[in-house]
């Protein structure tokens, strides 16, 4: 990898990503923070700055991955991004989402969207990629786990998917995110299905309410396929 001083765009990306934490870090130096709190503030300040560096590194890696996928130098891609309003929107969403996620597969998909957006003359297609990146911003490992499982069956119950997560109580929120983004649909959503009162010992209660059935959508299959492709490339 080239040295940082040979990559003049790196400080700009770093500053953009770390800037959201700067206010919190600066607050630890307030004159109102004294005594034992001041000692703790030093550690908080170091932690926030370290987090900013980590997020910046993720964003920089995503830019590098996108440029490699497009077959051009990173600086050339970023120059084009700065000159194109639609690309700048896509860049902003992809960089912010990649900076905040520990999920490497998600960052690879974001890089792919940025690479596909480079050189795209059709504004509507560019806007579609911005929309896809915003959906990705909401997804983490539990969402991809459920999508992968739903891709292999026609329908599945809420209780059946709960066993994929730890703790299983996350299934309600996880499915709601997938549904709100159009990746999963409720098959029995108009039948007011009964929901379980507990997710413990689910396998021992086959007659318990199953919480309705769900199925993956065409868009959900696209995201699932992109995740599989990104995993193979790691």
């Amino acid at each position: 990898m080239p040295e940082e001083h040979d990559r003049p765009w790196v400080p700009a990306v770093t500053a953009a990503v770390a800037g959201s934490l700067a206010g919190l870090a600066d607050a630890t130096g307030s004159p109102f923070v004294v005594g034992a709190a001041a000692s703790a503030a030093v550690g908080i300040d170091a932690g926030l700055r370290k987090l900013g560096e980590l997020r910046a590194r993720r964003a920089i890696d995503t830019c590098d991955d996108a440029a490699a996928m497009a077959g051009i130098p990173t600086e050339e891609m970023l120059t084009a991004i700065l000159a194109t309003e639609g690309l700048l929107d896509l860049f902003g969403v992809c960089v912010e989402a990649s900076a905040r996620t520990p999920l490497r597969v998600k960052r690879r998909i974001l890089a792919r969207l940025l690479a596909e957006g480079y050189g795209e003359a059709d504004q509507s297609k560019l806007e579609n990629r911005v929309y896809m990146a915003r959906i990705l911003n909401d997804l983490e490992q539990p969402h991809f786990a459920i999508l992968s499982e739903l891709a292999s069956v026609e329908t599945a119950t809420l209780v059946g998917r709960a066993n994929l997560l730890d703790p299983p109580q996350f299934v309600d929120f996880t499915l709601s995110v997938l549904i709100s983004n159009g990746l999963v649909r409720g098959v029995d959503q108009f039948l007011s299905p009964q929901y379980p009162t507990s997710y413990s010992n689910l396998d021992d209660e086959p007659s318990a309410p199953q919480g309705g059935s769900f199925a993956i959508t065409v868009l959900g299959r696209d995201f699932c396929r992109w995740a599989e492709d990104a995993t193979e490339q790691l």
Side-chain angles (χ1 to χ4, degrees):
M1 179 177 292
E3 295 295 332
E4 299 301 321
H5 59 74
D6 294 328
R7 292 147 60 85
W9 55 271
V10 167
V13 173
T14 301
V17 173
S20 61
L21 296 170
L24 290 173
D26 291 343
T28 60
S30 167
F32 297 103
V33 180
V34 296
S39 297
V42 172
I44 294 172
D45 177 80
L48 288 171
R49 296 186 189 281
K50 193 71 174 178
L51 178 58
E53 293 171 3
L54 173 62
R55 288 182 175 178
R57 173 49 56 191
R58 290 171 178 166
I60 291 167
D61 287 347
T62 297
C63 291
D64 283 335
D65 286 346
M69 292 175 188
I72 59 172
T74 308
E75 188 170 359
E76 180 180 332
M77 171 176 276
L78 291 178
T79 299
I81 287 171
L82 293 174
T84 310
E85 183 176 334
L87 264 180
L88 195 57
D89 288 333
L90 180 60
F91 169 77
V93 178
C94 289
V95 165
E96 181 179 3
S98 62
R100 291 178 177 274
T101 181
L103 196 59
R104 184 77 174 99
V105 166
K106 175 176 171 177
R107 299 200 300 270
R108 287 287 295 182
I109 302 174
L110 288 162
R112 172 178 173 172
L113 287 173
L114 189 55
E116 291 176 348
Y118 174 77
E120 178 57 72
D122 189 328
Q123 184 63 29
S124 64
K125 291 182 179 179
L126 196 54
E127 290 172 356
N128 284 342
R129 289 187 172 87
V130 173
Y131 176 65
M132 297 295 185
R134 285 176 178 156
I135 292 177
L136 271 170
N137 193 32
D138 289 341
L139 308 184
E140 293 297 342
Q141 181 59 44
H143 306 99
F144 285 108
I146 286 184
L147 280 178
S148 178
E149 181 73 9
L150 288 176
S152 64
V153 297
E154 185 174 345
T155 62
T157 63
L158 178 142
V159 166
R161 299 320 95 196
N163 289 315
L164 294 172
L165 307 182
D166 184 18
Q169 288 88 335
F170 283 168
V171 71
D172 295 280
F173 174 72
T174 304
L175 275 170
S176 70
V177 171
L178 293 170
I179 291 170
S180 67
N181 281 303
L183 308 182
V184 169
R185 60 183 174 84
V187 176
D188 300 329
Q189 57 184 328
F190 300 114
L191 301 182
S192 299
Q194 287 187 306
Y195 285 80
T197 57
S198 172
Y199 289 109
S200 61
N201 302 319
L202 291 175
D203 293 335
D204 299 330
E205 301 179 36
S207 61
Q210 298 296 297
S213 298
F214 301 85
I216 193 170
T217 64
V218 174
L219 183 59
R221 290 188 185 278
D222 287 341
F223 274 81
C224 192
R225 186 179 68 255
W226 293 342
E228 292 172 353
D229 292 344
T231 299
E232 293 177 356
Q233 295 167 4
L234 294 179

